[in-house]
Amino acid sequence: MMQPVRPVHAEHEANRLLSSTRLDSNVSPRASIGYDSIPSPYSKSFDFKMVISNRTRFRWCSYISALLLLLIIAVSFLLHFLPHKHNHHEASNNHTVAMNQALKFFDAQKSGRYPKNSPVKFRGDSGLEDGVVDNKLDGLVGGFYDSGNNIKFTFPTAYTITLLSWSVIEYHPKYADMNELDHVEDIIRWGTDYLLKVFVAPNGTSDQAIIYSQVGSASNDSNVQTNDNCWQRPEDTRYPRPVSKCDTRASDLAGEIVAALSAASLVFKEDNNYSGELAKAAEKLFEEVTKLDPSEQGTYTLVDSCGGEARNFYNSSSYMDELIWAGTWLFYATGNTSYLAYATDAVRFQLAQSKESSIDRGIFDWNNKFSATAVLLTRLLYFHDIVYPYEHALGASSNKTDILMCSYLIDQHFNRTPGGLIILRPDGGAPLQFAATASFLSKLYSDYLDLLGASYMSCIFANPGFSLEKLRTFSRSQASAIDFNGIELFQLNYILGDNPMKMSYVVGFGTNFPTHVHHRGASIPRDGQFYSCAEGDRWLLSKASNPNILSGALVTGPDKFDHFSDDRGKPWFTEPSIASNAGLVAALVALHDYPGDTSDFNGKDLGIDQMSIFDRIPMASVAP
């Protein structure tokens, strides 16, 4: 359990980390003891048995040799200090490979009319009748299957789109450098197209908004065929796929959808029509959910008809974190300060913080957005001239962010596996998912501090504090890349192979990765034959490797002792999910070594877009 850590603040909130970078002024060459310093009773010609026959030629030869030596030294220094625009670190090449694969996993999870140009060839059309009767026209066709099952859960889908969009907003120059910007934007658009369908605003036939939370059943009723008791490719599914419906009392679900649509509207801001459609839908849904009396607001999994089945998979512990998360993103998307006022309201902000359970503290995942919201608000404090009257929440967010970063670095706050993986939730499983988002947040925050010109961060329990490189080292240690020939590139990482199992937990990356992933589509061959539920069990129970490689899938991962079982029947080891992969993608792009052409005022280009997130926010913002 994380213990409270309070950072040292010696200056104004916005400037407390602007510490001067120390420069080594001792640049003169050090004295060395060489041949010339040792007296010899003989001339050098004697020592080396040299005979000089022509002293004039010898002098000219010496001069020319000295000039050549100086020229070589000068060229070496020039090459060393000139910008290396295209000198990619080999680790970044590995990041690029891993990124391409990690994004392919989302292609493998697509439901609906499957794209003909998809790089994943074992998938096809599926779920073409989803919600058609209930929602008319195109129904709820599209979206993503959340993991190894054939169910579409709206809550983790919205979280996934929010996180992917955030990573693009911050690091789109890096995505472009990796040639993956179009790819990730296609994935985000696939998700937002679906999210636009799951929210139905009040209209002429209904005066109440509708939110669809789930398509497909997870019931284990043995008398009815459902996803839970049928191992079948999504393309072969013939059993009914019921739809779960909510109203705006599902505050957490609504809040996450608002955040996703708002963040994505910034990703697609060059497409005015689509961006505007996303922002408009987000504003309407936020209006519907926040006009309710607080006594009516709640979590979607408390209502059986809304999230009763999702309770066993994506149970929500609070809703206030989603609402302030939504308000923050909606402010960035529209520039309307009323949304910022909502998110930073002292009572609401404190309530959201108090609702963060002890086991969730320090975690950024589909269930807990409070830490991530604190980072977003800290970004506003650092880089935009807007403080009054939001200073309470902005200052609290800054403190919260500092405490979080310090907790990652001080060993007594979070345990680690013997192999070095941070254990953010000891009894919660899915350790890689949490490590990936921690890696993303820590690298992102270190980039913020670097842009500010800070060289270190102070923590009251760590003297003299931590350098920014220490924070980056933590980030890389959880999710950076290694050379599988055994040569260390950046820092050996855990997720991509530097662990006691010597296994990459990203399918298809490296030479040793899980081959028995708990995933219906990957475990059954696409050979033109239809396999019933009963026939599908043969593939579930098979000891053979999956016939289809689920490229880029981040599996659940090892236990707290670094043990991992590559067993299809043990999903707590081998099942991937879109929420986990979103964290992996965010960490990979944040850690990518960017060879930029432009520089910030520190003389470095970090590959982060510092200011465009504020494009829709007027500089002279005033209170509503």
Side-chain angles (χ1 to χ4, degrees):
M1 184 183 301
M2 187 178 73
Q3 301 298 321
V5 184
R6 294 205 58 81
V8 174
H9 297 281
E11 304 176 41
H12 184 273
E13 283 292 334
N15 298 311
R16 70 196 185 289
L17 293 170
L18 301 181
S19 306
S20 299
T21 304
R22 297 179 181 178
L23 300 176
D24 186 358
S25 60
N26 184 19
V27 294
S28 59
R30 296 180 181 179
S32 60
I33 298 178
Y35 189 91
D36 287 341
S37 63
I38 304 175
S40 171
Y42 307 104
S43 68
K44 289 182 175 54
S45 62
F46 181 90
D47 287 344
F48 291 97
K49 297 181 173 57
M50 293 169 57
V51 178
I52 300 174
S53 59
N54 188 315
R55 293 187 179 275
T56 301
R57 290 182 179 179
F58 176 76
R59 283 196 298 271
W60 277 107
C61 183
S62 299
Y63 295 153
I64 292 171
S65 298
L67 287 173
L68 287 173
L69 180 61
L70 288 173
L71 181 61
I72 291 171
I73 293 172
V75 170
S76 299
F77 270 87
L78 186 63
L79 291 175
H80 178 74
F81 288 106
L82 278 177
H84 299 280
K85 294 183 180 180
H86 302 289
N87 183 26
H88 287 252
H89 198 288
E90 192 173 352
S92 289
N93 292 334
N94 276 343
H95 284 159
T96 301
V97 171
M99 173 66 79
N100 177 263
Q101 293 175 336
L103 290 175
K104 281 182 183 177
F105 171 71
F106 293 99
D107 295 317
Q109 297 302 105
K110 287 180 177 178
S111 177
R113 295 171 182 85
Y114 201 71
K116 302 302 181 185
N117 61 347
S118 174
V120 179
K121 301 306 179 185
F122 64 84
R123 288 295 325 283
D125 292 348
S126 64
L128 298 184
E129 301 297 321
D130 285 353
V132 171
V133 174
D134 188 68
N135 203 27
K136 308 294 190 299
L137 298 176
D138 203 25
L140 298 173
V141 175
F144 298 98
Y145 300 113
D146 81 292
S147 57
N149 57 48
N150 297 334
I151 304 176
K152 298 187 299 194
F153 291 103
T154 302
F155 195 46
T157 295
Y159 161 80
T160 295
I161 298 306
T162 310
L163 179 50
L164 290 179
S165 296
W166 188 9
S167 71
V168 172
I169 292 165
E170 299 281 18
Y171 291 115
H172 60 87
K174 290 190 177 186
Y175 275 111
D177 183 63
M178 301 167 91
N179 294 318
E180 296 293 348
L181 184 57
D182 290 342
H183 194 178
V184 70
E185 287 183 353
D186 170 76
I187 291 165
I188 293 170
R189 187 183 285 262
W190 190 275
T192 50
D193 284 349
Y194 181 72
L195 293 177
L196 287 172
K197 295 178 180 181
V198 303
F199 166 55
V200 181
N203 50 47
T205 59
S206 175
D207 60 356
Q208 193 173 48
I210 297 173
I211 306 172
Y212 294 96
S213 63
Q214 181 178 326
V215 177
S217 176
S219 171
N220 57 8
D221 185 348
S222 59
N223 297 318
V224 180
Q225 282 189 347
T226 67
N227 174 87
D228 199 58
N229 57 32
C230 184
W231 192 264
Q232 205 173 30
R233 297 176 67 246
E235 292 80 0
D236 290 342
T237 299
R238 302 291 185 270
Y239 53 77
R241 291 171 57 77
V243 172
S244 297
K245 186 188 304 184
C246 314
D247 57 32
T248 50
R249 290 176 296 175
S251 310
D252 47 359
L253 178 59
E256 190 58 65
I257 295 172
V258 169
L261 296 177
S262 300
S265 76
L266 294 173
V267 172
F268 300 114
K269 61 185 176 182
E270 300 301 324
D271 184 343
N272 290 330
N273 290 335
Y274 190 64
S275 177
E277 181 183 9
L278 296 175
K280 182 178 178 181
E283 287 193 280
K284 182 59 178 176
L285 179 53
F286 193 73
E287 175 191 352
E288 292 295 319
V289 73
T290 55
K291 71 181 183 182
L292 294 178
D293 186 273
S295 63
E296 297 182 88
Q297 296 175 341
T299 58
Y300 84 110
T301 48
L302 282 179
V303 180
D304 286 345
S305 60
C306 172
E309 288 191 357
R311 192 180 302 141
N312 296 322
F313 300 89
Y314 296 101
N315 186 52
S316 178
S317 58
S318 175
Y319 64 88
M320 283 308 305
D321 57 320
E322 276 83 22
L323 289 182
I324 66 169
W325 173 243
T328 302
W329 273 116
L330 201 49
F331 166 67
Y332 279 119
T334 66
N336 187 333
T337 54
S338 67
Y339 300 128
L340 180 61
Y342 179 93
T344 59
D345 175 80
V347 174
R348 188 175 294 112
F349 191 87
Q350 181 59 40
L351 180 61
Q353 186 167 19
S354 68
K355 292 293 184 180
E356 187 181 34
S357 66
S358 59
I359 62 170
D360 283 330
R361 204 160 295 147
I363 290 175
F364 174 34
D365 70 338
W366 52 264
N367 182 47
N368 185 21
K369 287 79 179 196
F370 188 75
S371 293
T373 303
V375 173
L376 267 182
L377 291 175
T378 301
R379 192 193 209 291
L380 186 66
L381 175 67
Y382 285 173
F383 301 117
H384 198 280
D385 187 18
I386 179 171
V387 178
Y388 178 82
Y390 318 106
E391 60 270 17
H392 171 80
L394 295 180
S397 294
S398 179
N399 288 339
K400 168 75 174 178
T401 301
D402 285 346
I403 291 171
L404 177 66
M405 299 302 155
C406 291
S407 71
Y408 289 155
L409 301 176
I410 301 175
D411 289 342
Q412 66 260 35
H413 292 281
F414 291 113
N415 292 326
R416 283 168 170 73
T417 67
L421 179 68
I422 192 169
I423 304 176
L424 293 168
R425 182 184 287 163
D427 301 318
L432 301 183
Q433 175 182 182
F434 310 133
T437 51
S439 179
F440 168 65
L441 290 182
S442 56
K443 180 56 169 66
L444 179 63
Y445 188 61
S446 75
D447 284 346
Y448 290 170
L449 297 184
D450 211 340
L451 288 171
L452 287 169
S455 60
Y456 68 91
M457 54 185 293
S458 298
C459 303
I460 197 168
F461 292 139
N463 189 17
F466 296 107
S467 67
L468 296 196
E469 187 54 36
K470 178 74 172 178
L471 196 57
R472 295 190 187 99
T473 296
F474 163 78
S475 182
R476 293 167 186 159
S477 70
Q478 305 300 309
S480 188
I482 68 167
D483 181 337
F484 283 91
N485 292 320
I487 302 172
E488 179 175 342
L489 296 176
F490 253 43
Q491 172 170 327
L492 297 181
N493 70 91
Y494 195 102
I495 293 176
L496 297 184
D498 181 36
N499 53 68
M501 298 293 293
K502 302 303 178 186
M503 172 176 283
S504 163
Y505 290 117
V506 176
V507 176
F509 186 79
T511 57
N512 183 29
F513 51 82
T515 59
H516 298 74
V517 182
H518 183 91
H519 190 275
R520 287 160 174 77
S523 64
I524 302 174
R526 186 181 185 185
D527 54 9
Q529 297 186 50
F530 171 84
Y531 293 100
S532 67
C533 292
E535 291 170 323
D537 286 345
R538 172 163 62 99
W539 305 105
L540 169 63
L541 302 175
S542 172
K543 298 301 181 182
S545 298
N546 288 351
N548 307 307
I549 296 178
L550 191 63
S551 183
L554 175 65
V555 297
T556 311
D559 63 18
K560 61 184 178 181
F561 303 108
D562 297 306
H563 299 152
F564 178 80
S565 178
D566 187 11
D567 187 332
R568 191 179 301 110
K570 296 179 179 179
W572 54 92
F573 286 115
T574 59
E575 187 168 25
S577 74
I578 57 173
S580 295
N581 258 68
L584 173 65
V585 166
L588 284 172
V589 72
L591 287 163
H592 176 63
D593 186 18
Y594 178 69
D597 293 324
T598 59
S599 298
D600 62 23
F601 63 84
N602 285 318
K604 295 174 289 187
D605 185 359
L606 305 174
I608 185 172
D609 188 337
Q610 179 180 344
M611 298 305 294
S612 72
I613 193 174
F614 305 124
D615 283 351
R616 295 175 178 174
I617 303 174
M619 289 302 295
S621 298
V622 296

